Every structure is written in C-alpha cells, then in structure tokens.
Amino acid sequence: MGNRLKVKKWGAAVFLGILLAGLLPLYAVRAEQADLNAIVSASAQILYNNEGSYNSVNPNDNGAVSVGKLQWHGWRALSLLQTIVSANEKQAEKLLGSSLYNEIVKTKDTSKWSTRKFSASEAAAARKLLATDESKSAQDTLAVEDITSYIQQGQRLGIKNEPALVYFADLANQGGAGAAGRVGASASKAAGSYEAVTLNELHEAAVCDFVMGAYLSRRFETYQYASQLGWTYCSPQDSYIPSDYVSAKDSGAAWIQRALNTCMNAGLSVTGTYDEPTKQAVMQFQSAKSLQVDGFSGRDTIVALIKALFKSETVDKPDPPVQNPDVSQPGTSENPGTPDPPDSTLDPGASENPGSSGQEPDTDIQEPDPVIKTVLKTPKTSYAYNNTAQPFMLNISSTHTIVPITYQSSDESVVTVRKDGRVKIEGAGQAYITVSQEAVKNYTAADLTISVNIYSVNPSDYAVPTGALYAEKNMKKQHVQWLQAALITLDGADLTVNGTWSQTMTRLVTNFQKKCKITADGIAGDQTQDLVKKMLAVKAKKPQASVKSSTKYKTVSWKKYEKANRVYIYRREKGGTFKRLKTVTNMKKTSYQDKTVKKGKTYEYMIQYGYVQGKITVKGLSSKIVTG
C-alpha cells in the first residue's frame, strides 16, 4: 500500500513537471507579448502627440503630403487614403470631389506620390475624409501595425531597454528605418553593444545625428516622456539628461556635473545641486565652445555637452586673460613721469616730414565687416491648445533688428499668424509655423520651426473608449481625448485635449463623479462612461415642438426622449425675451397646458431636453420656436 502511494506521488510529480515544462514556454511567449504591447501602447502616446490627429493634413511636408495621426508621408499617405476610400466609396467621392477621388483610386504607381503635394482645397477635402469613422478605424489599425514594426526593428538589432525602444519608435516614424538604424548603430558603439543601449545613449546618438539632430525639440520631448514611463532608462553611473536650464536646475544637475567632469576634467562633486562651482565650470565650458557665457545650462550648452561626451572630446579650459608684458603699466617705469620717446625709425623712403613730400599719405585699407550669424531664439518651440482658446503671441527674439521677422503657417485652416507674431486659432489639427529673417548687410539669414497642435473639444471627433480609463493603464490617445472633451463639454473642465492622463485628469474625473453622486475613484469605468454618453446624447438632441390653441389655454407638445430626465419649456410674448415656464420631470408626459395665457396676446414657445445628475445639469439643443 505504501509503495503504491509512493508510485502515485512520483507519477503525479512527473506529470506536473511535464505539464509545467510545456506551459513555461507558453507563459514566456505571453509575457513577451505583454511587454511588447506595453511598449507599443507607450510609444503610441508620444507618437500621436508628436504627429497629429485623425484629420491632420500637412500639404507640403518636406516635399510631399503627410496625413493622419501618424503623418503618413508620400506613397504611404496614398495607401492609407486608398484603404479609407475602399471602405465607403460613395462617401469618399462626395467628400473628396471627383478629381482627387479618381486620382486616389486609379493611381497604381505609388512612387508618383513621393513628391505629391496638396493644394489648400485638396487638403480641406482630405481632412473631411480623414475625420470619418472609416478613416479612424483604418488609422487605428495601421498605427498599431506601424508602431509594432518600429519596435520590432529595434528588438531585432538587439535593443532591450524599454524606454530606448519607445524612443527608437519615434525615430523610425519620423526618419524611417534607415535613420533609426543609423542612430541605433551609433548608440551601440557608444554603449559597447546593442544590448547595453539605454535611453540615454540613444538620445545622445540622435542629438548628434546629422538628420535626426535637426529636430531637437522633438528629441528632447520624446526623451522626457520616455524617461518618465517607470522603466529603468539609464545605467547606474548615469542620470537624467536635462533639456534646458529649468530642468538642469530641477533634476539634471547631476548629469551636467558628470558631463563636465568627463569632457573637461572639472573636478565637480556630483551633488545633483546646481551650485556655484557648477555654474563656474559651465561658464568655462561655454567660453571654450564660443557659446554665450552666462553659467546657465540652456539648450545650446546641453547639446554641446552631449556632442562632446558622445564624441569623447576633451575640452580644454580657457586660459585666464594675461596682460601684455611689452606694455609698460602706470607706475612701473623707472621714470614714471617721463613718457617713452616716439619710435624714430622710419620705413625706407619715408620722409621725416611727410606733409611736405607732395604725395598723399598711404590710406588704410578697410577690412570687410565680418559675417555675423543671425540667431532666432524662442523659449518655446511647440504649443498645444484647444480650438476654443484665444489668440496667443509667439515670443521670438533675434540677434539683430535690421529687417523684420516674418511668420508663415503651414496650414491656415489650423492657425494664422499676423506680422507681429500673434497666432489665431482657426480649427483643429496640426500646423508648423516657420519663423524667418532674411539676410541683410553682414548678417546671415535664419529660420526656425514652431509646431502647433490644436485639439477639438467636441467629443464626437474622437473614438469612444471600449474599456475603463485610469492613470495606471496604457490607453489610446483618442480614448483619453474623448473623455477630456466630454469633461469640458459637460463640466467646464480646464484642460487641454492632448490625450495625456495626468494627476489633474484623475482629479477632474473624481470631482465629476462626486458632483454626479456616483463612486468617486478617479476611474472612468462603465458607470461613469455610460453616464457621460447619456449626457452627451441629451446635449446633442434637438426636440420637435408644436402648439395647439383652445379658448382657455395653449398646449405645448413634444416627442418622448428616453435618455432625458427633464423637459424645459420656455415662453415669451412676441418681441420679448424667453423665460422658463415649466420644468417637466415626469418623462411619461409629452405635453403641457399653459393656462396662464392672456386673451389677445401672441406667445412663442421653445423647449429643450435636459439631464440632471446630482449637481450636473445638461441642457440639449433648443427646438424651433413655435407660436400659438
């Protein structure tokens, strides 16, 4: 009996071992897929922020049109448009017009679109198509496919660091596989291998790259985002790379100190505090690099440090100024009261009295003025506003004021710019403002680009979520934007519809839930979303009203609307102002008898559907004015 029991236990152990041996690879695959999904989701957030919205169109993006929330460029823009068109051809032809529709449908040689630019009217038509449900579905699918392929390219190279893969995806999306691969190879040389590459090495390599380094604002914004995702993003002997003086003081001082110690042997203690020795060392570095010497680690100084580090460059400390030993200083002459005699040695052939020689004295040849580089500066190179925001000013300075600074918007249906740099918001989308100054006299020409993202506050412009939304979850940008736009519409929330879930977002959701007297946990789950959907539906609903008269009263009627829990009835005497006459809370009723009318007077009526939940009141569209 005992032996049988031992055999049974041994057999069960073997079976369990075999079972686990078979399941472990499956668990590993699932875990790997879960990691990939998390990286894809994190990458999507920054890519959507860097690129555009569903209906974004850049008519001329470096020589060809770019469209959609990932700004698909050239032939890829054509491929996306063809997919959208095929989903609903009648709708597409109506929105695009026959000419553009036929071109998209009939173009087989996609290389022609490598230089295809859009006119203003074509861009406007394309935006209408890109805003459709068919477009949003196609873009969602294609975006996930593309972002996944970007990350898998980085993984095939051997990059394992999650924030580095997020950053790599942004490089691949903007510059293509070739540019991303080139930056990855540079980073691997600096780190020793692809497996050792972290976000820091990849960022430094990108800043030093001759193509991707031209887009510094995007590089630093993506780095900042990727470094805050919760994954390890640098080696233990490294630290956070700042993007400007503010972040250098706040959290990047340790990196500044290490960088100065490495490339200039500054001998600083790595305290993480931007102290006076650090400032003095920064001034020495700035002087050696012919930068503005102010001791503040701004963008130019940080980029110069990155390049010096990445190229293993040794920066010599500048020598302190010395006095010319050949020049006698006051009080050092043996006879300080007697000036040195003039030099009596003349050039051969020179007259002792040149004024009497009858010849004009030699004239000094004027050297041409040196060419001075024009530098345009701005404290902010990207802006994000809702389409309901007021105009704003660009803060641009230049190293000279001889000729005026000019401004040009890439898409005037999104923003227009006045001569003084005042930007007016025209509609949702993404645009680039080119700030320029022409060459004049001995100053060179200069330009810089400022990106502007304008977000719609209409919830219907975004995809409705399919699951709960909350801070710790990796969510689609457009799902968060839907909720942000809804909170603005229903509760007047003060936020930008950028698709980013912040602590402010959690607070606003919690406050909304408290006002609605539902579970206030900051999580937009089924209960919260269903309530929001119902309120939005009521707000968009326009009733049909009618009035019938009798000798004693007038009867106002409407159709029942099951999502509303209020009907508001307004009345005015003809020529007067509307005042609320009655609030109907019994939703089984579809009429109201106004018995306060006076004989001989003309009355006009108007109704609205409403929804009241706790302290939140939503009113729908007004009906047409009806007269009894």
Side-chain angles (χ1 to χ4, degrees):
M1 186 71 175
N3 288 335
R4 287 181 186 175
L5 185 59
K6 288 180 182 179
V7 170
K8 286 181 180 179
K9 287 183 178 179
W10 178 83
V14 171
F15 174 76
L16 182 60
I18 294 172
L19 179 62
L20 288 174
L23 288 177
L24 283 175
L26 178 61
Y27 289 144
V29 169
R30 287 179 177 173
E32 183 178 341
Q33 184 63 42
D35 290 342
L36 177 60
N37 290 341
I39 299 170
V40 169
S41 180
S43 302
Q45 294 286 331
I46 187 64
L47 284 175
Y48 297 160
N49 182 69
N50 284 343
E51 294 296 354
S53 55
Y54 284 114
N55 66 336
S56 292
V57 177
N58 189 340
N60 182 3
D61 183 5
N62 290 322
V65 65
S66 292
V67 302
K69 65 180 185 178
L70 279 191
Q71 286 293 278
W72 288 277
H73 185 255
W75 68 268
R76 297 214 67 203
L78 172 65
S79 178
L80 172 63
L81 292 171
Q82 287 176 334
T83 301
I84 299 168
V85 166
S86 64
N88 191 334
E89 294 181 352
K90 289 184 178 180
Q91 172 183 258
E93 185 172 11
K94 180 180 178 181
L95 297 175
L96 292 173
S98 58
S99 178
L100 183 56
Y101 169 82
N102 288 329
E103 180 185 354
I104 291 171
V105 170
K106 295 179 181 180
T107 297
K108 303 300 181 185
D109 183 5
T110 57
S111 63
K112 293 180 179 180
W113 273 57
S114 296
T115 55
R116 176 68 161 92
K117 307 177 189 70
F118 273 7
S119 66
S121 59
E122 288 173 332
R127 286 190 193 94
K128 294 178 182 178
L129 180 69
L130 291 166
T132 62
D133 291 339
E134 290 81 1
S135 165
K136 293 176 181 178
S137 176
Q139 289 189 51
D140 286 345
T141 301
L142 184 58
V144 172
E145 291 175 357
D146 283 358
I147 295 171
T148 301
S149 70
Y150 301 153
I151 294 166
Q152 288 174 335
Q153 179 194 354
Q155 289 176 327
R156 285 193 298 271
L157 291 175
I159 299 174
K160 297 184 179 298
N161 182 254
E162 294 93 342
L165 288 169
V166 171
Y167 192 99
F168 187 90
D170 186 59
L171 293 173
N173 181 70
Q174 185 184 25
R182 182 178 64 247
V183 173
S186 297
S188 72
K189 290 179 182 178
S193 67
Y194 280 107
E195 290 78 5
V197 169
T198 68
L199 173 64
N200 274 23
E201 287 83 20
L202 196 63
H203 177 52
E204 290 169 355
V207 168
C208 296
D209 187 74
F210 67 98
V211 174
M212 305 313 292
Y215 303 93
L216 288 176
S217 293
R218 179 161 175 168
R219 300 286 79 83
F220 279 98
E221 287 174 6
T222 304
Y223 173 84
Q224 182 181 20
Y225 168 82
S227 67
Q228 296 174 355
L229 291 171
W231 287 305
T232 300
Y233 64 88
C234 65
S235 61
Q237 65 272 20
D238 206 349
S239 53
Y240 178 77
I241 302 174
S243 59
D244 52 23
Y245 176 61
V246 173
S247 57
K249 281 199 310 178
D250 180 41
S251 54
W255 184 88
I256 296 289
Q257 291 162 343
R258 287 192 177 98
L260 290 167
N261 287 342
T262 300
C263 68
M264 204 175 66
N265 195 25
L268 296 170
S269 299
V270 182
T271 61
T273 301
Y274 204 96
D275 49 21
E276 187 60 29
T278 302
K279 186 174 181 180
Q280 293 299 320
V282 168
M283 292 175 70
Q284 291 180 328
F285 178 81
Q286 290 170 330
S287 177
K289 285 293 185 179
S290 299
L291 300 170
Q292 180 179 350
V293 180
D294 55 13
F296 305 122
S297 297
R299 176 68 59 84
D300 291 345
T301 302
I302 291 165
V303 169
L305 277 170
I306 288 174
K307 291 181 177 179
L309 283 175
F310 198 74
K311 297 174 182 178
S312 299
E313 176 185 349
T314 300
V315 180
D316 295 329
K317 295 181 182 179
D319 294 328
V322 296
Q323 295 176 336
N324 187 347
D326 294 333
V327 179
S328 297
Q329 299 298 318
T332 61
S333 170
E334 293 182 6
N335 184 10
T338 305
D340 291 336
D343 189 357
S344 61
T345 304
L346 299 176
D347 291 336
S351 170
E352 293 184 14
N353 184 10
S356 62
S357 66
Q359 296 180 352
E360 292 292 331
D362 291 339
T363 303
D364 291 338
I365 299 174
Q366 292 288 333
E367 290 289 335
D369 291 336
V371 175
I372 302 172
K373 182 180 179 182
T374 298
V375 179
L376 293 172
K377 291 186 177 181
T378 177
K380 196 170 182 180
T381 56
S382 63
Y383 293 83
Y385 288 101
N386 295 333
N387 60 351
T388 54
Q390 296 299 310
F392 61 94
M393 292 293 296
L394 298 177
N395 186 5
I396 309 294
S397 62
S398 173
T399 50
H400 74 85
T401 57
I402 300 174
V403 293
I405 298 171
T406 60
Y407 305 88
Q408 179 64 50
S409 170
S410 67
D411 192 340
E412 293 195 343
S413 67
V414 178
V415 291
T416 55
V417 195
R418 290 194 327 192
K419 292 181 179 180
D420 61 355
R422 180 176 180 269
V423 181
K424 181 182 178 184
I425 296 170
E426 305 290 350
Q430 184 180 42
Y432 297 91
I433 298 174
T434 302
V435 184
S436 306
Q437 204 168 18
E438 295 180 352
V440 61
K441 293 186 178 181
N442 56 319
Y443 284 92
T444 63
D447 62 71
L448 61 85
T449 302
I450 295 174
S451 65
V452 182
N453 280 295
I454 305 299
Y455 302 108
S456 168
V457 296
N458 185 353
S460 64
D461 287 341
Y462 305 103
V464 178
T466 54
L469 304 176
Y470 51 92
E472 296 79 12
K473 182 179 179 181
N474 289 319
M475 299 163 287
K476 289 186 176 181
K477 177 181 178 181
Q478 62 269 28
H479 289 169
V480 178
Q481 287 177 301
W482 173 85
L483 183 58
Q484 289 173 329
L487 291 174
I488 292 172
T489 301
L490 301 175
D491 196 27
D494 183 13
L495 54 82
T496 304
V497 189
N498 55 15
T500 300
W501 193 290
S502 61
Q503 291 181 350
T504 299
M505 190 65 186
T506 301
R507 176 176 57 79
L508 290 171
V509 171
T510 303
N511 289 344
F512 177 78
Q513 292 168 329
K514 287 179 179 178
K515 290 178 182 179
C516 292
K517 297 184 178 180
I518 60 175
T519 304
D521 54 8
I523 298 173
D526 290 342
Q527 183 187 28
T528 302
Q529 288 187 31
D530 288 345
L531 187 58
V532 168
K533 291 173 187 176
K534 186 178 289 186
M535 289 180 173
L536 290 175
V538 172
K539 192 170 184 66
K541 187 68 174 178
K542 183 175 183 177
Q544 293 181 356
S546 62
V547 175
K548 289 184 178 180
S549 300
S550 69
T551 55
K552 294 183 179 180
Y553 53 81
K554 298 183 184 297
T555 303
V556 184
S557 301
W558 59 89
K559 289 185 177 180
K560 183 179 179 181
Y561 182 50
E562 65 280 357
K563 293 183 179 180
N565 62 10
R566 297 287 190 279
V567 174
Y568 300 105
I569 304 172
Y570 300 87
R571 185 187 74 179
R572 72 179 179 188
E573 291 186 18
K574 194 168 184 179
T577 57
F578 277 108
K579 294 182 180 179
R580 189 190 301 182
L581 176 65
K582 178 69 175 179
T583 299
V584 179
T585 56
N586 182 353
M587 300 314 293
K588 293 180 179 180
K589 291 185 175 182
T590 57
S591 64
Y592 170 75
Q593 292 179 348
D594 179 11
K595 299 180 179 180
T596 63
V597 294
K598 296 179 181 179
K599 187 176 181 180
K601 292 189 177 291
T602 301
Y603 295 94
E604 295 177 328
Y605 297 87
M606 179 181 69
I607 67 169
Q608 290 176 306
Y609 292 125
Y611 193 91
V612 177
Q613 178 75 27
K615 296 181 179 179
I616 300 291
T617 298
V618 175
K619 293 181 180 180
L621 300 175
S622 299
S623 69
K624 289 184 179 180
I625 298 172
V626 291
T627 303

